[in-house]
Amino acid sequence: MSDRILAAVMPGPRRPIEIREFDRPDVPHGAALLRTVRSEVCGTDVHLWHGRLSGVPYPIIPGHVSAGILETVHGSLRGIDGAELREGDRAVFFDVHRACGRCRPCVVHRTPTRCTARRVYGITDSAEEGLFGGWSQAVYLEPGVHTARLPDSVTFDQYIGGGCGLLTAVHIIERAGLRAGESILVQGTGAVGLSTIALARVGGASVIFAIGAPADRLVLAKRLGADRVFDLTSTTAGERLDRVRALTHGEGVDVVVEAAGSARAFEEGPFLARDGGRYVVAGHYTDAGPSSVNAHDAINRKHLDIRGCWGSEPRHFLRALTLLERYGSTIPFGAIGGRTYPLEQLDAALADAEAMRITKALVDPWASARG
Amino acid sequence: MSDRILAAVMPGPRRPIEIREFDRPDVPHGAALLRTVRSEVCGTDVHLWHGRLSGVPYPIIPGHVSAGILETVHGSLRGIDGAELREGDRAVFFDVHRACGRCRPCVVHRTPTRCTARRVYGITDSAEEGLFGGWSQAVYLEPGVHTARLPDSVTFDQYIGGGCGLLTAVHIIERAGLRAGESILVQGTGAVGLSTIALARVGGASVIFAIGAPADRLVLAKRLGADRVFDLTSTTAGERLDRVRALTHGEGVDVVVEAAGSARAFEEGPFLARDGGRYVVAGHYTDAGPSSVNAHDAINRKHLDIRGCWGSEPRHFLRALTLLERYGSTIPFGAIGGRTYPLEQLDAALADAEAMRITKALVDPWASARG
Amino acid sequence: MSDRILAAVMPGPRRPIEIREFDRPDVPHGAALLRTVRSEVCGTDVHLWHGRLSGVPYPIIPGHVSAGILETVHGSLRGIDGAELREGDRAVFFDVHRACGRCRPCVVHRTPTRCTARRVYGITDSAEEGLFGGWSQAVYLEPGVHTARLPDSVTFDQYIGGGCGLLTAVHIIERAGLRAGESILVQGTGAVGLSTIALARVGGASVIFAIGAPADRLVLAKRLGADRVFDLTSTTAGERLDRVRALTHGEGVDVVVEAAGSARAFEEGPFLARDGGRYVVAGHYTDAGPSSVNAHDAINRKHLDIRGCWGSEPRHFLRALTLLERYGSTIPFGAIGGRTYPLEQLDAALADAEAMRITKALVDPWASARG
Amino acid sequence: MSDRILAAVMPGPRRPIEIREFDRPDVPHGAALLRTVRSEVCGTDVHLWHGRLSGVPYPIIPGHVSAGILETVHGSLRGIDGAELREGDRAVFFDVHRACGRCRPCVVHRTPTRCTARRVYGITDSAEEGLFGGWSQAVYLEPGVHTARLPDSVTFDQYIGGGCGLLTAVHIIERAGLRAGESILVQGTGAVGLSTIALARVGGASVIFAIGAPADRLVLAKRLGADRVFDLTSTTAGERLDRVRALTHGEGVDVVVEAAGSARAFEEGPFLARDGGRYVVAGHYTDAGPSSVNAHDAINRKHLDIRGCWGSEPRHFLRALTLLERYGSTIPFGAIGGRTYPLEQLDAALADAEAMRITKALVDPWASARG
């Protein structure tokens, strides 16, 4: 790697992505430099592009979940599983850094995803601070970042195919308390929804329903494990409810997961669950407007559990790796990644993602645009 | 007790209560006849009077939670705690009967309050079937009803002061998973809210907030254990939120309980809880109309748990008795009961309850209207 | 089916099995008669044969988990999933009957497997009371027995291959709280251990270890999903501990399941779990003598959870059917069944089971001994 | 405070305590110096004195839980509740420091009390490293130590009366999942057992049993909330079991807590719990030798949960403060502290503690031995 590092920078909301050159950073003791092999364009990146998140210190280098090869390691670098990482290793890292570990959310409530000091690669760090995003030929891993060796059997495309959606899905399944033999319905067939489907299959769900669009994502949903899919554009909520009940002893499913980010989805979801079931709300990462909810019908009389799910923790990152290593050969996580873009084409990648022309755009910062 | 039994009958929605005479019923093997000492007028009775519940087989004898003295016992009658009950014993019973114990809600999901076969004294049994309500000088305890001896140290007025609200509150506290040292806020200072406050005090809450009205109920809330009360009529939601946060490290409380039954309460509640907190929705027993909920702010980003809570189970009934026996001398459950009415004045009792002139009306079916 | 029904009767401890003729029983309203297609010889039957269980009303017809075809149904018979069962249907039933649903274990603690009124087909009902065991050409299903249709895709041999071990294993996995991506070790490769391995595989365990013997059971353990097996006869506890730790970041596994029924297994188990892990004790159905446990090393400092697991509940029975239906094509539950015996050879079956010459003996009460 | 600080040093196992002079330490940025007002002699100190813990870097300054007044603060010092602490504040700190927050026990399993990097004031830090124990006129609070202001309403004697036993008890009650209305039995009436009793009372236990000795501790157990006490020296295990069952519907209690540290207690405990109950093992901090346990009777058939409980976490420390603040006026935590010793008499304090002549020895490092 030369001393000049190229990165794609988002200068501000709704402005074109720019390719900029950065100096190769100093790597102090405890830190490392990762040569990026793959990063991704996720739904949050589209939100960032539209300025829908508050407090973002533009310009930023997007790309929060990324993978690569350790180029430089200064001192001993131990992965979260205790093993030492060395230069040349295929490595990944947990995108959330600097959760304080000392505030009440971290220490008392054990909800570190609500730590206010928390920072996230690709989102909360300005490009002026350095290489804190994966849309770059190299990522700076500051001391304290949770890292891990990418298991030999897991390809870069599999890991990034799952990507941040997979980490979120691990947390969703944990919040859902899903057990083998239970039924589940996933609202939304984007990266989070598809990973949730895959994990529900790994975890032994008895039946997996998915609601989504467009058609190619529903095909993908089936490949990842869904038993039955509903096209959002050609079925009504009433039809979906009737069909789900008909297949679940008239009850609805044990677990519904909201991974759609739509106000209408949140209105529909409670009724798809059985009485006493669980409804995990994980798709409302930005404000999609108000829903109309009747607390009597939808919650109180249904004796329903609704569980918000925000972000992910280091243990979800490690669990994702474990599951990829063990089940990557049976579940095609890699298929979630739709197409790989070079840095110069990330405006197009964002547009394709927003228009749902692809499920997930991968980023190869070393690819030539002329390919 | 003579062979003619007087009962107050609700002939239909919005019609005056009538006093009718019933024959003393046959008591088959396994059944019993309870001479009613106290019953109650609860919020559900007001809803019944307005015809807000569906499928009610009017005419009915209202009064679901009641207490009395065993007049006739045919065969061996064992209480839920295994002890035998005898004629002359002070006794109480669990108002839900005929939960099937065989359907999927009962057996598979362990949510028997959602059993469709479930019947409830005072609500789902027609007066034409017999003495299935407490607004009567005697209640027929059919075989299989869960019964218990009223502990010696618990007065009838204490038991009915708690009444059905206390049973619901036991379930609420279980759903809330409240632990000693946690903070709680209760929305609503009716019978359910007040009992929840009392149980939170018994359970070692660090601080108990209550929101309600009118003023005399807030006084009662303090007597039952609330540390700070907000008058719904003289504070805004914004003021309440600011005040609660100021007293909880800026976070909100660990647990919020909705016992108000208002669409506005459900909109306010999530924000009064801390991130990662719990919100038990228990007051929406009838349809109070839709609430506007932003799933992003109120649930997803807050990482909030919302838990609907419907009805109560036999174990909550028994736990209520245990707590009354142990803590009845320190918590004035009896104070919830506002005034005792004879059968002839139950129209007035319903009107008083609806107008919030009293917290809870007690019923003494043997009292003379002329006093 | 003729009016004369043959059954194998265990007249008392250590006495030869006898074939006796029974009258075809009356089938009152709500009851049914099942023509037995398959039953089993499980470990409990060996214990019964040796008189190791107290309170058994010999003579009995053993065989607690069985499957067959409904020969006679009197009135409406609804399965536990709500669907009606008809004569000619392939049907199964939950072996525990008459759990009272009213005692403190049933109602208050929700531990119905500790109900003292509980009775179990093949164990607690005397042959003098009727056809209450599966080693018979027909089984009498009294009113209230939980029944279900055997799913079309599940063969009798698959169902009985799982058999009572599978029901126990469903409960074990529930008690273990096993989640996808966790590691597990199973002590014992009998019917319970093998079913636990299969369910851990269905549930997405990251790695499954098994300790057992003889060699053919270890082969079977691998077929059902174990990743690594230890032969109890050729490895020491120290070697096993070293090996397990070497493969689990030096920690031990998340979950250990004791399905061996040996005092030594219980001494070894805690150390195979990681600190803060879970240890489900399910194999000590009879008294195998005392173990020496150091509470400091094995429990307190390890911050270990040990969870006893007794019997199974109707919901485990239904979950077993759900899992067999969904995963029966990928997990060879049927392979647990070792050999099928006619009634006349059940002494040999007991001897073979005890000597571990087979994993599980199946019973076909209609087969000819001369076959 | 002068520049010379006196501390009581334990030079090694079974050697007399020595008073040594230390230099006033430098206080770097983020650190603080606490003028010690009270420390304690707890059971662990007796074990340290006998050399029963491995890896202790003698000489040490014992005294892990301590309280005092902030003498020097360098930079901003924020308490665990987010509030800033200033010189002159009454302050306390969590004795466990340097838990890494990065290893698998910390991050993946959320069992930080099993972090191998964890260090504990008064136990794991050599006196040669500085003032890391409370048997000293000042304690050095290194950067990162969790601190909190002692609430105004809590006296030093109340806080240290609870002391390390109270922090452990908060963890025990959490592990026990004790709910209001449940019954509990505590084995052991030392500092941990007495604090557990107090917390069970705060948490609304229906009945609290205690087993212990000598007589004055049983009197104290009653003052702190026990309803019934058994003198270990004058009752047999059989008598205790009979009595407990007679008072709990023949079942045993919901929760048993082992806080005795005796091999015999661990043998007795499971049978005092009801079937399906919980048994928290928290007293075996050092090796008290093996117990004989029959896994069939004591665990498997009882369907018992046994939960080891090691150390405490910062959130337990904060919860202890919350509970002391709210309930310190109703529960006499201060009564646990038996007598206050100056530094020169800590040999006597250890001897008194071991001989059970006092419940807990407090330490006042500024008191004169001559009184």
Side-chain angles (χ1 to χ4, degrees):
Chain A
M1 196 156 63
S2 80
D3 284 352
R4 303 300 292 167
I5 292 167
L6 296 180
V9 170
M10 190 179 279
R14 298 171 187 274
R15 291 176 48 193
I17 304 301
E18 300 171 5
I19 308 296
R20 296 189 191 169
E21 275 192 19
F22 289 79
D23 289 336
R24 185 186 180 106
D26 290 337
V27 177
H29 194 269
L33 193 68
L34 183 79
R35 180 189 159 99
T36 313
V37 175
R38 282 289 181 284
S39 188
E40 66 173 350
V41 179
C42 84
T44 300
D45 297 315
V46 176
H47 293 313
L48 287 168
W49 198 35
H50 287 286
R52 292 193 193 113
L53 278 75
S54 59
V56 177
Y58 300 98
I60 59 169
I61 303 173
H64 48 121
V65 173
S66 310
I69 292 169
L70 285 169
E71 174 90 9
T72 311
V73 173
H74 188 171
S76 171
L77 183 69
R78 289 204 173 274
I80 197 173
D81 64 351
E84 190 158 353
L85 292 170
R86 292 194 174 76
E87 293 178 1
D89 281 351
R90 299 162 76 242
V92 291
F93 62 97
F94 184 56
D95 60 334
V96 179
H97 59 131
R98 302 192 199 172
C100 75
R102 304 189 51 75
C103 65
R104 288 176 57 92
C106 280
V107 171
V108 180
H109 309 315
R110 300 207 289 192
T111 54
T113 68
R114 300 303 302 142
C115 170
T116 52
R118 182 175 174 261
R119 292 177 65 168
V120 187
Y121 273 78
I123 299 178
T124 63
D125 301 277
S126 169
E128 283 156 19
E129 291 187 78
L131 301 170
F132 284 98
W135 295 8
S136 167
Q137 290 175 336
V139 178
Y140 171 66
L141 303 179
E142 70 173 10
V145 169
H146 291 291
T147 56
R149 182 177 287 108
L150 188 64
D152 291 343
S153 63
V154 181
T155 67
F156 286 110
D157 280 351
Q158 279 179 311
Y159 178 74
I160 298 293
C164 71
L166 176 59
L167 270 62
T168 302
V170 171
H171 197 178
I172 287 171
I173 291 288
E174 180 186 286
R175 284 286 274 168
L178 185 74
R179 293 173 173 239
E182 289 193 315
S183 53
I184 186 171
L185 181 148
V186 180
Q187 298 178 295
T189 49
V192 172
L194 291 170
S195 284
T196 303
I197 290 166
L199 293 184
R201 173 53 58 228
V202 167
S206 61
V207 59
I208 302 172
F209 298 92
I211 301 176
D216 58 340
R217 291 197 181 184
L218 298 180
V219 170
L220 200 47
K222 286 203 154 189
R223 285 185 61 195
L224 287 161
D227 296 295
R228 290 168 190 273
V229 297
F230 298 100
D231 191 318
L232 190 64
T233 64
S234 61
T235 56
T236 67
E239 288 166 358
R240 293 189 288 267
L241 181 59
D242 287 347
R243 193 79 192 117
V244 168
R245 286 199 174 153
L247 292 164
T248 55
H249 310 94
E251 294 180 336
V253 295
D254 296 306
V255 171
V256 178
V257 172
E258 186 281 313
S262 124
R264 295 298 81 74
F266 181 64
E267 292 169 346
E268 181 180 356
F271 300 98
L272 295 164
R274 67 164 167 83
D275 288 4
R278 290 151 270 155
Y279 184 30
V280 177
V281 177
H284 282 263
Y285 258 58
T286 52
D287 185 344
S291 302
S292 176
V293 177
N294 186 307
H296 169 64
D297 281 343
I299 301 174
N300 201 336
R301 199 178 51 166
K302 276 198 85 70
H303 200 77
L304 189 69
D305 270 25
I306 301 180
R307 301 174 184 172
C309 183
W310 187 256
S312 47
E313 304 177 30
R315 64 204 165 90
H316 303 129
F317 163 67
L318 204 65
R319 169 103 359 136
L321 286 174
T322 301
L323 289 167
L324 281 170
E325 183 172 15
R326 183 66 180 77
Y327 294 100
S329 63
T330 54
I331 306 280
F333 287 98
I336 300 176
R339 191 177 138 194
T340 303
Y341 295 76
L343 294 182
E344 295 85 351
Q345 295 180 347
L346 290 175
D347 281 316
L350 286 163
D352 288 347
E354 185 166 27
M356 290 185 151
R357 281 188 291 267
I358 52 168
T359 309
K360 178 187 280 191
L362 306 190
V363 179
D364 176 353
W366 295 90
S368 162
R370 307 203 188 108
Chain B
M1 197 156 63
S2 79
D3 283 353
R4 303 299 291 166
I5 292 166
L6 296 180
V9 171
M10 190 180 278
R14 298 170 188 274
R15 290 176 48 194
I17 303 300
E18 300 171 5
I19 308 297
R20 295 189 191 169
E21 274 193 18
F22 289 79
D23 288 337
R24 184 187 180 105
D26 289 337
V27 177
H29 194 268
L33 191 68
L34 184 79
R35 179 189 160 98
T36 314
V37 174
R38 281 291 180 283
S39 187
E40 66 174 351
V41 179
C42 84
T44 300
D45 297 315
V46 176
H47 292 314
L48 287 168
W49 198 35
H50 286 285
R52 292 192 192 113
L53 278 74
S54 59
V56 177
Y58 300 98
I60 59 169
I61 303 173
H64 48 121
V65 172
S66 310
I69 292 168
L70 285 170
E71 173 91 9
T72 310
V73 173
H74 188 171
S76 170
L77 183 69
R78 289 204 173 273
I80 197 174
D81 64 352
E84 189 158 353
L85 291 171
R86 292 195 174 78
E87 294 176 0
D89 281 350
R90 298 162 78 243
V92 291
F93 62 97
F94 184 55
D95 60 333
V96 180
H97 59 131
R98 302 192 199 172
C100 75
R102 304 188 52 76
C103 66
R104 288 175 58 92
C106 279
V107 170
V108 180
H109 308 315
R110 299 207 289 192
T111 54
T113 68
R114 300 304 302 142
C115 170
T116 52
R118 180 176 175 261
R119 292 177 66 169
V120 187
Y121 274 78
I123 299 178
T124 64
D125 301 277
S126 169
E128 283 156 19
E129 291 187 77
L131 300 170
F132 284 97
W135 296 8
S136 166
Q137 290 176 337
V139 178
Y140 171 66
L141 302 180
E142 69 174 10
V145 169
H146 292 290
T147 55
R149 183 178 287 110
L150 188 64
D152 291 343
S153 64
V154 181
T155 67
F156 286 110
D157 280 352
Q158 279 179 311
Y159 179 74
I160 298 293
C164 71
L166 177 58
L167 270 62
T168 303
V170 172
H171 197 179
I172 287 170
I173 292 289
E174 180 187 286
R175 284 286 275 167
L178 185 75
R179 294 174 172 237
E182 289 193 315
S183 54
I184 186 171
L185 181 148
V186 180
Q187 298 178 296
T189 49
V192 172
L194 291 169
S195 284
T196 303
I197 290 165
L199 294 184
R201 175 52 58 228
V202 167
S206 61
V207 59
I208 302 173
F209 298 93
I211 302 175
D216 58 339
R217 291 197 182 184
L218 298 180
V219 170
L220 200 46
K222 286 204 153 189
R223 284 186 63 194
L224 287 161
D227 296 296
R228 289 169 191 273
V229 297
F230 298 101
D231 190 319
L232 190 64
T233 63
S234 60
T235 55
T236 66
E239 288 165 357
R240 293 189 290 266
L241 181 59
D242 287 348
R243 193 78 193 117
V244 168
R245 287 198 174 153
L247 292 165
T248 55
H249 310 93
E251 294 181 336
V253 295
D254 295 306
V255 170
V256 178
V257 172
E258 185 282 311
S262 122
R264 296 298 81 73
F266 181 63
E267 292 170 346
E268 180 180 357
F271 299 98
L272 295 165
R274 67 165 168 83
D275 288 4
R278 290 151 269 155
Y279 184 31
V280 177
V281 177
H284 282 263
Y285 258 59
T286 51
D287 185 346
S291 303
S292 176
V293 177
N294 186 307
H296 170 64
D297 281 344
I299 302 174
N300 201 336
R301 197 178 54 165
K302 276 199 86 71
H303 201 76
L304 190 69
D305 271 26
I306 301 180
R307 301 175 184 172
C309 184
W310 187 256
S312 47
E313 303 176 30
R315 63 203 165 91
H316 303 128
F317 163 67
L318 204 65
R319 169 98 8 130
L321 286 174
T322 301
L323 289 166
L324 280 171
E325 184 173 14
R326 184 65 180 78
Y327 294 100
S329 63
T330 54
I331 306 280
F333 287 99
I336 300 176
R339 191 177 138 194
T340 303
Y341 295 75
L343 294 182
E344 295 84 352
Q345 296 181 344
L346 291 175
D347 281 315
L350 287 163
D352 288 346
E354 184 165 28
M356 290 187 150
R357 280 187 291 268
I358 52 167
T359 310
K360 177 187 280 190
L362 306 190
V363 179
D364 176 352
W366 295 90
S368 162
R370 307 199 190 114
Chain C
M1 197 155 66
S2 79
D3 284 351
R4 303 301 291 166
I5 292 166
L6 296 180
V9 170
M10 190 180 277
R14 298 170 187 275
R15 291 176 48 194
I17 303 301
E18 299 171 6
I19 308 296
R20 296 190 190 167
E21 273 192 18
F22 288 79
D23 289 335
R24 184 187 180 105
D26 289 336
V27 177
H29 194 268
L33 192 67
L34 184 80
R35 180 189 160 99
T36 312
V37 175
R38 282 291 180 283
S39 187
E40 66 174 352
V41 179
C42 84
T44 301
D45 297 315
V46 176
H47 292 314
L48 286 167
W49 197 35
H50 286 285
R52 290 192 195 114
L53 279 74
S54 59
V56 177
Y58 299 100
I60 59 169
I61 304 173
H64 47 121
V65 173
S66 309
I69 292 169
L70 285 170
E71 173 91 8
T72 309
V73 173
H74 188 171
S76 170
L77 184 69
R78 290 202 172 274
I80 197 173
D81 64 352
E84 190 158 351
L85 292 170
R86 293 193 174 77
E87 293 177 2
D89 281 351
R90 299 162 76 242
V92 291
F93 62 98
F94 184 55
D95 60 333
V96 179
H97 58 131
R98 301 191 200 174
C100 76
R102 306 190 50 77
C103 66
R104 288 177 58 91
C106 280
V107 171
V108 180
H109 309 316
R110 301 206 289 191
T111 55
T113 68
R114 300 304 301 141
C115 170
T116 52
R118 181 175 175 260
R119 293 177 64 168
V120 187
Y121 273 79
I123 299 177
T124 64
D125 301 277
S126 169
E128 283 155 20
E129 292 187 76
L131 301 171
F132 284 96
W135 294 8
S136 167
Q137 290 177 336
V139 178
Y140 171 66
L141 302 181
E142 69 173 10
V145 169
H146 291 291
T147 56
R149 182 177 287 110
L150 188 64
D152 291 343
S153 64
V154 181
T155 67
F156 286 110
D157 279 353
Q158 279 179 311
Y159 179 75
I160 298 294
C164 72
L166 176 58
L167 269 62
T168 302
V170 171
H171 197 179
I172 288 170
I173 292 289
E174 180 186 286
R175 284 288 274 169
L178 185 74
R179 293 173 172 238
E182 290 192 315
S183 54
I184 187 171
L185 181 147
V186 179
Q187 298 178 296
T189 49
V192 172
L194 292 169
S195 285
T196 303
I197 290 166
L199 293 184
R201 176 51 60 229
V202 166
S206 62
V207 59
I208 302 172
F209 299 92
I211 302 175
D216 57 341
R217 292 197 180 184
L218 298 179
V219 171
L220 199 47
K222 288 204 154 190
R223 284 186 63 194
L224 287 161
D227 296 296
R228 289 168 191 275
V229 298
F230 298 101
D231 191 319
L232 191 62
T233 64
S234 61
T235 57
T236 67
E239 288 165 357
R240 294 189 289 265
L241 181 59
D242 287 348
R243 193 79 191 115
V244 169
R245 287 198 173 154
L247 293 164
T248 54
H249 311 93
E251 293 181 337
V253 295
D254 295 306
V255 170
V256 178
V257 172
E258 184 282 312
S262 122
R264 296 297 81 72
F266 181 65
E267 292 169 346
E268 181 180 357
F271 300 98
L272 296 164
R274 66 165 168 83
D275 287 5
R278 290 152 270 155
Y279 183 31
V280 178
V281 176
H284 282 263
Y285 258 60
T286 51
D287 185 345
S291 303
S292 176
V293 176
N294 185 307
H296 170 64
D297 282 343
I299 301 175
N300 201 338
R301 199 177 53 164
K302 275 198 86 69
H303 200 75
L304 189 68
D305 270 25
I306 301 180
R307 300 173 185 173
C309 184
W310 187 256
S312 46
E313 304 176 30
R315 63 203 166 93
H316 303 128
F317 163 66
L318 204 65
R319 170 95 11 127
L321 286 174
T322 301
L323 289 166
L324 280 171
E325 184 173 14
R326 183 66 181 77
Y327 294 101
S329 63
T330 53
I331 306 279
F333 287 98
I336 300 175
R339 190 177 139 193
T340 303
Y341 295 76
L343 294 182
E344 295 83 351
Q345 296 181 346
L346 291 174
D347 280 317
L350 286 163
D352 288 347
E354 184 165 29
M356 290 185 150
R357 281 188 291 268
I358 52 167
T359 310
K360 178 187 281 191
L362 305 190
V363 179
D364 176 354
W366 294 91
S368 162
R370 308 202 188 110
Chain D
M1 194 154 67
S2 79
D3 284 352
R4 302 300 292 164
I5 292 167
L6 296 179
V9 171
M10 191 181 277
R14 299 172 187 274
R15 291 176 47 195
I17 302 301
E18 299 170 4
I19 307 297
R20 294 190 192 168
E21 274 191 19
F22 289 79
D23 289 336
R24 184 186 179 106
D26 290 336
V27 177
H29 194 268
L33 193 68
L34 184 80
R35 180 189 159 99
T36 313
V37 175
R38 282 289 180 284
S39 187
E40 66 174 351
V41 179
C42 84
T44 301
D45 297 315
V46 176
H47 292 314
L48 287 167
W49 197 35
H50 286 285
R52 291 192 193 114
L53 279 73
S54 59
V56 177
Y58 300 99
I60 58 169
I61 304 174
H64 47 121
V65 173
S66 310
I69 292 168
L70 286 169
E71 173 92 9
T72 310
V73 173
H74 188 171
S76 170
L77 184 69
R78 290 203 173 273
I80 197 174
D81 65 351
E84 190 159 352
L85 292 171
R86 292 192 174 79
E87 293 177 1
D89 281 350
R90 300 162 75 243
V92 292
F93 63 97
F94 184 56
D95 60 333
V96 180
H97 59 131
R98 302 191 200 176
C100 75
R102 305 190 50 76
C103 66
R104 287 177 58 92
C106 280
V107 171
V108 180
H109 308 316
R110 300 207 288 192
T111 54
T113 69
R114 300 304 301 140
C115 170
T116 52
R118 179 176 176 262
R119 292 177 65 169
V120 187
Y121 273 79
I123 299 178
T124 64
D125 301 277
S126 170
E128 283 155 20
E129 291 187 78
L131 301 170
F132 285 97
W135 296 7
S136 168
Q137 290 176 337
V139 178
Y140 171 67
L141 303 180
E142 70 173 10
V145 169
H146 292 290
T147 56
R149 182 178 288 111
L150 188 64
D152 291 343
S153 63
V154 181
T155 66
F156 286 110
D157 280 352
Q158 279 178 311
Y159 179 75
I160 298 294
C164 71
L166 176 58
L167 270 61
T168 303
V170 171
H171 198 178
I172 287 170
I173 292 288
E174 179 186 287
R175 284 288 274 168
L178 185 73
R179 294 174 171 238
E182 290 192 316
S183 54
I184 186 171
L185 181 148
V186 179
Q187 298 177 296
T189 48
V192 171
L194 291 169
S195 284
T196 303
I197 290 166
L199 294 184
R201 174 51 60 228
V202 167
S206 62
V207 58
I208 303 173
F209 299 92
I211 302 175
D216 57 342
R217 292 197 179 184
L218 298 180
V219 170
L220 200 46
K222 288 204 152 190
R223 284 186 63 195
L224 287 161
D227 296 297
R228 290 168 190 274
V229 298
F230 298 100
D231 190 319
L232 191 63
T233 64
S234 61
T235 55
T236 66
E239 287 165 357
R240 292 188 290 266
L241 181 59
D242 288 347
R243 193 78 192 116
V244 168
R245 287 198 172 154
L247 292 164
T248 55
H249 310 94
E251 293 180 337
V253 295
D254 295 305
V255 170
V256 178
V257 172
E258 185 282 312
S262 124
R264 296 298 81 72
F266 182 64
E267 293 170 346
E268 180 181 356
F271 299 99
L272 296 165
R274 68 164 168 82
D275 287 4
R278 291 151 270 157
Y279 184 31
V280 177
V281 177
H284 282 262
Y285 259 59
T286 51
D287 185 346
S291 303
S292 176
V293 177
N294 185 307
H296 169 64
D297 282 343
I299 301 175
N300 201 337
R301 198 178 52 162
K302 275 199 85 71
H303 200 75
L304 189 68
D305 271 26
I306 301 179
R307 301 174 183 172
C309 184
W310 187 257
S312 47
E313 304 177 29
R315 63 203 164 94
H316 303 129
F317 163 67
L318 204 65
R319 171 93 13 127
L321 286 175
T322 300
L323 289 166
L324 280 171
E325 184 174 14
R326 183 65 180 80
Y327 294 100
S329 63
T330 53
I331 306 280
F333 287 98
I336 300 175
R339 191 178 138 193
T340 304
Y341 296 76
L343 294 182
E344 295 84 350
Q345 296 182 347
L346 291 175
D347 281 317
L350 286 163
D352 288 347
E354 184 165 28
M356 290 185 151
R357 281 188 291 268
I358 51 167
T359 310
K360 179 188 280 191
L362 306 191
V363 178
D364 176 353
W366 295 90
S368 161
R370 304 197 192 113

